[in-house]
């Protein structure tokens, strides 16, 4: 139970940092790095996905 809460908290932290960068690739990279620091490989995957999502959402049409 505590591990799930830790993973969820680190995913939220990685998602908040994932918005750093100018391009979608930079946002995905910073999210992955932040997630890896907080929660290891699982955090890296979640942070990278969150960064990519933020980058795509902010991309001009």
């Amino acid at each position: 139970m505590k591990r799930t809460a830790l993973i969820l908290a680190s995913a939220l932290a990685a998602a908040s940092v994932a918005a750093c960068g100018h391009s979608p690739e930079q946002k995905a990279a910073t999210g992955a790095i932040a997630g890896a620091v907080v929660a290891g490989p699982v955090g890296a995957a979640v942070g990278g996905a969150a960064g990519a999502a933020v980058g795509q959402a902010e991309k001009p049409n």
Side-chain angles (χ1 to χ4, degrees), residues 7-58:
I7 291 172
L8 181 60
S10 57
L12 291 173
S16 68
V17 176
C20 297
H22 297 288
S23 69
E25 293 82 10
Q26 289 175 346
K27 292 175 192 246
T30 56
I33 291 169
V37 168
V38 174
V42 174
V46 171
V54 168
Q56 290 299 321
E58 292 179 350

